[in-house]
Amino acid sequence: MTLAELDLHHSQSLAEVASVAEPTALEQLRVKYLGRNGLLPAIIKQMKEVPAEERPEFGKRAQAWRAALEAALTEKHLAVATEETKGPAFDPSLPGRWFAPGSKHPVSRVIEETAAIFARLGFTVADGPDIENRFNNFTALNTPAHHPSMDPSDTFWLTDNLLLRTQTSPVQIRMMTQHQPPMRIITPGRTYRRDTTDATHSANFHQIEGLYVDTQPVSLADLKSTLAYYASEMMGSKAGVRFRPHFFPFTEPSVEVDFSCHVCAGKGCRVCKMSGWIEIAGAGMVDPRVFQFVGYDPEKVYGYAFGFGVERIAMIKYGIPDIRWLYENDMRFLSQLA
Ligand code: PHE
């Protein structure tokens, strides 16, 4: 085949496409020229018979023809397509596509809400590592050398000196050794204890620590009003707090903090075991010994600290009866709290 003959086929095919006005005829044209047994593939198969010096030009023109023909066919197809060949019209009565929305885990929600509440009181969020040393987790927190909490049956020791932190309180030490008062921080994070898992215990849970230190007097009343504000923001405006005397090595005096039961508003129910109160936190005034350990002058610095379990707040707030539900990632459970 000569170049002139090729060009003739080219222009003829385009003229034929231009002359049809109906989808089936158009499809026949496509098969005639481009189909498996169509003219264009056949011509290309016979390229070796074209004189060698004409062959590159021949190949180029054949490709140009294919491109032009395909474009013409597509354009014509759109012009002559019937409703049927275009596909169905948009049907607004069909059900939409469903996307499962993700949601925040209850533990993350409690941490974020707590951070937001304390931010309104001037607290910023501080962070510390899960792997701590003996000094930060125990010694500087004024824990006596043979305190039972250091026992390998309670604490995950990694080496003689390193351990998985049993509380977020070591972040107090880290912050106070690095910064001068005044300081208001909260510290959410993971904590680890060698506890056997049951409905209310987990070997890996979360705490939120709070610390306020200042060079002007800070009192137990400040601590109480801060926690009362937190209780009412977190649990509802009617929530109250009460302090019960307790002991922690790093606070003096120390208290355990109860929230009034949000279910019965203090009247007594199953959730609060008829007492009207739910134990939430440990707290107290920072012990002068701790200030000494971090290099503060205990005569000149005052402060309070508190710490509570995040899972415990989540369980109370959302009515979750078993702590293990928080770790199983069962969508049937999590989606109820979305
Ligand atoms: N760290 C204590 C605990 O884990 C809680 C606490 C924090 C108590 C700060 C007093 C002050 O039980």
Side-chain angles (χ1 to χ4, degrees), residues 167 169 172 193 207 209 248 250-251 282-284 305-307:
Q167 48 191 353
S169 303
Q172 291 184 36
R193 287 180 198 178
Q207 283 189 337
E209 191 82 6
F248 296 104
F250 37 93
T251 46
F306 56 86

Side-chain angles (χ1 to χ4, degrees), residues 85-193:
T85 52
K86 265 187 199 155
F90 172 64
D91 179 354
S93 70
L94 288 174
R97 274 186 218 152
W98 188 74
F99 294 99
S103 63
K104 288 220 169 99
H105 192 277
V107 168
S108 303
R109 277 165 60 174
V110 168
I111 289 174
E112 284 176 18
E113 265 180 63
T114 301
I117 293 167
F118 280 101
R120 299 200 278 276
L121 298 173
F123 285 74
T124 52
V125 174
D127 200 11
D130 290 17
I131 296 177
E132 264 298 358
N133 57 44
R134 184 188 292 267
F135 181 80
N136 288 338
N137 196 90
F138 291 122
T139 315
L141 289 165
N142 196 32
T143 313
H146 298 289
H147 195 271
S149 64
M150 293 180 178
D151 200 278
S153 64
D154 283 335
T155 297
F156 293 105
W157 287 94
L158 305 175
T159 67
D160 278 353
N161 185 40
L162 295 179
L163 55 117
L164 295 177
R165 66 178 176 194
T166 60
Q167 48 191 353
T168 43
S169 303
V171 185
Q172 291 184 36
I173 304 302
R174 286 177 175 272
M175 293 302 289
M176 288 192 283
T177 48
Q178 286 163 26
H179 303 277
Q180 290 303 309
M183 187 193 311
R184 284 190 188 86
I185 52 154
I186 62 159
T187 303
R190 286 178 186 276
T191 49
Y192 305 81
R193 287 180 198 178

Side-chain angles (χ1 to χ4, degrees), residues 234-303:
M234 198 68 182
M235 294 299 178
S237 59
K238 291 201 188 72
V241 291
R242 77 172 178 187
F243 282 1
R244 281 178 293 109
H246 198 70
F247 175 80
F248 296 104
F250 37 93
T251 46
E252 181 58 37
S254 301
V255 293
E256 272 191 320
V257 185
D258 296 342
F259 283 7
S260 60
C261 179
H262 62 297
V263 175
C264 62
K267 285 188 205 67
C269 68
R270 258 179 49 227
V271 173
C272 58
K273 301 198 188 81
M274 300 314 290
S275 74
W277 296 93
I278 298 174
E279 187 192 317
I280 293 286
M285 306 310 292
V286 180
D287 194 293
R289 290 277 292 155
V290 173
F291 285 147
Q292 275 170 352
F293 274 113
V294 299
Y296 286 179
D297 180 349
E299 299 292 330
K300 297 203 177 115
V301 178
Y302 311 81

